[in-house]
Amino acid sequence: MEIQEILLLLTLISTILISTIGFGFTIYQIKKSNKVKQAEFINKLLENMILNERALNAEYIIDYDEHWYDENFHFSGELEKNIDAYFSQINYICYLYEEKLLSDKDFSIFKYQILRVIDDEQCKSYLWNLYHWSKSNETKCSFDNYINYMIKQLSEIDLKKFESSEEKISGFKKYLNFD
């Protein structure tokens, strides 16, 4: 092998090696950049939960077990808007999780709010009413993503109660017109 061929071979190997290192570094930078973008996205979601006055009011009401869901709720104006704003936020987070746009780790940041609603009887009653009203009207429920997530978390007994549209079986009072 001549010196010229050896130099050509070394040049080729060097080019491949430098290209591979450059490509690896580019992939590393892209992954790092995507993590930063994901963190910014999670931060935006958190800000929407924390800085949204309506959602904050609703979370406070739910956290401190204030009685809010009764026959007057659907005509309450601000209270209904607050609860719906909060549930809309949670519904969107569940949508992102279902679509695999949030990892388990990202989703865990919102677990408190999500599980708090699942554990609250008034929240379940409200969702139960909406769920069965939507079914009777053959339409998608406004908080469908959240309800789907909640249903997966319920025990078999609680699921049967939630799926039943009868007050006696579900244990929930019917405030919306559905049959």
Side-chain angles (χ1 to χ4, degrees):
M1 206 185 244
E2 289 184 31
I3 291 185
Q4 190 175 12
E5 290 175 333
I6 292 172
L7 288 174
L8 186 61
L9 183 61
L10 286 174
T11 304
L12 182 62
I13 290 171
S14 298
T15 304
I16 291 171
L17 188 61
I18 290 170
S19 297
T20 303
I21 291 170
F23 182 73
F25 184 70
T26 301
I27 295 298
Y28 171 78
Q29 289 293 85
I30 289 171
K31 283 185 175 186
K32 195 169 188 167
S33 175
N34 285 343
K35 282 185 177 185
V36 169
K37 285 180 185 176
Q38 183 71 4
E40 289 171 351
F41 179 66
I42 298 300
N43 185 50
K44 257 311 197 205
L45 289 173
L46 279 170
E47 282 179 359
N48 285 341
M49 292 290 286
I50 295 168
L51 300 178
N52 181 325
E53 195 65 35
R54 288 190 186 281
L56 272 177
N57 289 337
E59 186 171 10
Y60 181 86
I61 289 166
I62 293 165
D63 276 348
Y64 291 99
D65 291 326
E66 290 185 26
H67 182 73
W68 58 271
Y69 191 61
D70 56 24
E71 64 276 354
N72 299 315
F73 174 78
H74 294 285
F75 305 102
S76 65
E78 286 304 308
L79 175 61
E80 185 174 9
K81 289 176 185 176
N82 291 345
I83 297 292
D84 284 352
Y86 186 62
F87 279 29
S88 291
Q89 291 291 323
I90 291 173
N91 188 64
Y92 182 59
I93 290 164
C94 289
Y95 163 77
L96 293 171
Y97 184 65
E98 184 67 29
E99 293 296 313
K100 309 249 186 287
L101 297 171
L102 288 180
S103 68
D104 289 340
K105 189 175 181 180
D106 294 336
F107 188 68
S108 71
I109 295 169
F110 305 98
K111 269 287 180 99
Y112 172 78
Q113 289 87 354
I114 291 165
L115 295 178
R116 180 68 181 99
V117 171
I118 290 173
D119 292 339
D120 187 86
E121 288 302 310
Q122 290 184 88
C123 292
K124 282 195 285 195
S125 179
Y126 178 45
L127 293 172
W128 176 81
N129 273 274
L130 290 175
Y131 176 73
H132 289 287
W133 181 86
S134 296
K135 279 178 72 171
S136 71
N137 287 290
E138 298 177 3
T139 187
K140 196 172 185 177
C141 180
S142 3
F143 310 119
D144 199 49
N145 296 294
Y146 180 66
I147 289 172
N148 290 336
Y149 178 81
M150 181 184 76
I151 284 172
K152 293 174 189 172
Q153 306 307 309
L154 295 175
S155 69
E156 202 172 309
I157 293 168
D158 287 337
L159 179 59
K160 285 181 183 178
K161 288 179 181 179
F162 191 82
E163 289 288 339
S164 174
S165 62
E166 296 179 37
E167 285 183 11
K168 291 178 185 177
I169 295 172
S170 71
F172 299 119
K173 180 106 173 86
K174 182 177 166 183
Y175 294 118
L176 295 175
N177 188 18
F178 61 82
D179 288 316

